[in-house]
Amino acid sequence: MTLSLRSLAEECGIWIGAAVGIEPLSSDGTFCDVLAREFNAITPDNAMKFEHLCPEMGQYNFRDADEIVSFAQVHRMHVRGHTLVWHRRIPQWLLKQDLSRDQVVAVLEEHIFTVAEHFRGRVAAWDVINEAVEENGLFQDSFWLRGIGSEYLELAFRWANQADPGALLFYNEWGGEDLNRKSDAVYSLLQKLVQHRVPVHGIGLQMHVSLMEPPDRQGLVANMRRFADLGLQIYITEMDVQIHNSPGSLKQQLEAQAEMYREILEACFSISTFKGLSTWGVTDRYSWIPQFTGYPDAPLLFDESYQFKPAYWALLDVLQSR
Ligand code: XIL
């Protein structure tokens, strides 16, 4: 077997994944080749979001998500389902309605069962809840919180587990990578869920980071460790590293970026329940970051023409030394 992130990750027993959009997957052959060669896990970047799956009331359309899942099956890759419950990407037809608590509960239950049963046995891990806590540690305001109250979190995990008892269930969050008010609040939440025997198996740390605001390394390790001590798996779910505005030449920026990828994967390996790391995309060509920040950037492992970047070699090196 040729040397790749994938082959080394498989020897280490971890997942190395990437988020994918339906467009490059159906039109860019090089994208598909690199994806299948270098990664053993896939996260659909948008295709499994509520609005995408169910743009019209009562009419689910699984075409794009199924295409991504089929690709994963053909290439023997794990699928991380993303995401069952989020405050964003809720379809307009739903937001427009004025519903009682019981009705919102029923909508959420039906959505989770419809989606998780559809993919039962094909999605290995679900981001059941995405981003439910704000930076100040309070629950994120949302259609679900307003309609149901914070009990929606526990309900969602229980329903996902009933719909697909074989899937690993994650709570996924951004900005809670090291020790801060958000990660403290997420920790308390998960501690409570674990105590109440809610079926939650892991914490996803998104890891959208920037060279200008690096996560605190010791804080990251301490944070991952406290979640691991709750018995939870640790997964870096959406890593990308922005270089915009960081000092030095492009070459120096890309080297600093590689060091950040290296440090974070090394930190992960110090945690016994570390399960895997996924980047939010394969190539800088299709990264979501320029649209999100408004600046050109190069946050991933492959450049716009699919050349290996220093960050790629850094991860390869960490895996090789395991
Ligand atoms: C992003 C997608 O990549 C974009 O295409 C879309 O426009 C916005 O959402 N955290 C998440 C992901 O959990 O769902 C987001 O994905 C990136 C931030």
Side-chain angles (χ1 to χ4, degrees):
M1 192 189 260
T2 49
L3 194 63
S4 62
L5 294 179
R6 176 176 185 159
S7 63
L8 294 170
E10 284 170 2
E11 280 174 35
C12 297
I14 64 157
W15 299 7
I16 283 285
V20 307
I22 191 66
E23 275 162 34
L25 197 78
S26 42
S27 64
D28 181 340
T30 312
F31 178 89
C32 295
D33 291 346
V34 174
L35 178 62
R37 185 188 73 216
E38 298 291 343
F39 301 94
N40 65 0
I42 287 186
T43 309
D45 65 356
N46 291 310
M48 289 183 179
K49 291 171 180 170
F50 199 160
E51 184 185 55
H52 199 102
L53 289 177
C54 193
E56 309 285 345
M57 185 163 158
Q59 292 179 20
Y60 277 84
N61 181 343
F62 290 104
R63 198 191 49 222
D64 291 349
D66 280 339
E67 192 174 324
I68 296 173
V69 171
S70 301
F71 182 94
Q73 287 184 309
V74 168
H75 297 281
R76 301 179 323 282
M77 304 163 88
H78 308 285
V79 178
R80 295 198 84 265
H82 176 86
T83 172
L84 293 173
V85 188
W86 195 21
H87 64 285
R88 297 186 194 279
R89 302 290 168 126
I90 298 174
Q92 280 306 321
W93 62 259
L94 179 54
L95 293 175
K96 280 205 298 243
Q97 293 183 47
D98 186 19
L99 303 176
S100 69
R101 182 178 192 273
D102 284 353
Q103 287 171 316
V104 181
V105 168
V107 169
L108 184 62
E109 179 175 9
E110 188 182 331
H111 177 65
I112 291 176
F113 272 94
T114 303
V115 177
E117 282 183 347
H118 177 83
F119 293 108
R120 181 160 54 206
R122 298 186 293 152
V123 164
W126 272 108
D127 289 334
V128 176
I129 303 283
N130 196 31
E131 304 178 348
V133 172
E134 287 189 45
E135 252 161 308
N136 57 17
L138 300 176
F139 285 121
Q140 169 68 51
D141 177 50
S142 74
F143 176 79
W144 308 116
L145 185 71
R146 267 175 275 134
I148 303 177
S150 60
E151 200 200 346
Y152 85 90
L153 298 158
E154 172 168 346
L155 290 172
F157 281 105
R158 293 198 191 281
W159 290 327
N161 183 241
Q162 286 164 20
D164 185 354
L168 294 168
L169 305 182
F170 281 74
Y171 176 92
N172 194 44
E173 189 59 87
W174 71 278
E177 282 79 18
D178 52 25
L179 297 172
N180 55 38
R181 280 168 87 170
K182 183 184 269 191
S183 64
D184 285 350
V186 173
Y187 177 77
S188 309
L189 169 67
L190 290 188
Q191 188 179 39
K192 244 182 248 142
L193 295 179
V194 169
Q195 275 165 3
H196 292 177
R197 300 189 185 282
V198 175
V200 50
H201 309 114
I203 169 97
L205 303 175
Q206 293 186 6
M207 203 65 81
H208 293 291
V209 294
S210 150
L211 287 180
M212 296 306 285
E213 281 171 77
D216 172 56
R217 177 164 178 163
Q218 281 184 337
L220 170 65
V221 171
N223 192 37
M224 292 194 288
R225 190 155 288 146
R226 64 178 169 171
F227 285 107
D229 288 343
L230 291 177
L232 297 173
Q233 295 187 352
I234 310 295
Y235 202 109
I236 305 297
T237 49
E238 308 188 8
M239 186 161 179
D240 44 29
V241 179
Q242 295 165 43
I243 62 172
H244 175 73
N245 250 345
S246 70
S249 64
L250 178 63
K251 185 163 181 287
Q252 287 166 323
Q253 291 175 322
L254 294 178
E255 271 156 21
Q257 178 183 58
E259 278 320 293
M260 186 167 301
Y261 272 101
R262 175 195 301 280
E263 275 193 16
I264 287 173
L265 185 57
E266 275 175 351
C268 288
F269 274 117
S270 71
I271 306 297
S272 60
T273 64
F274 171 54
K275 173 83 177 166
L277 179 151
S278 295
T279 51
W280 203 247
V282 173
T283 151
D284 292 339
R285 178 186 287 252
Y286 308 122
S287 167
W288 76 300
I289 288 293
Q291 248 198 0
F292 176 66
T293 62
Y295 299 105
D297 216 311
L300 293 164
L301 305 180
F302 293 87
D303 76 9
E304 300 215 350
S305 39
Y306 295 98
Q307 299 302 304
F308 303 105
K309 291 169 63 186
Y312 172 89
W313 297 115
L315 292 191
L316 195 88
D317 189 45
V318 176
L319 292 171
Q320 225 167 358
S321 63
R322 296 299 304 170

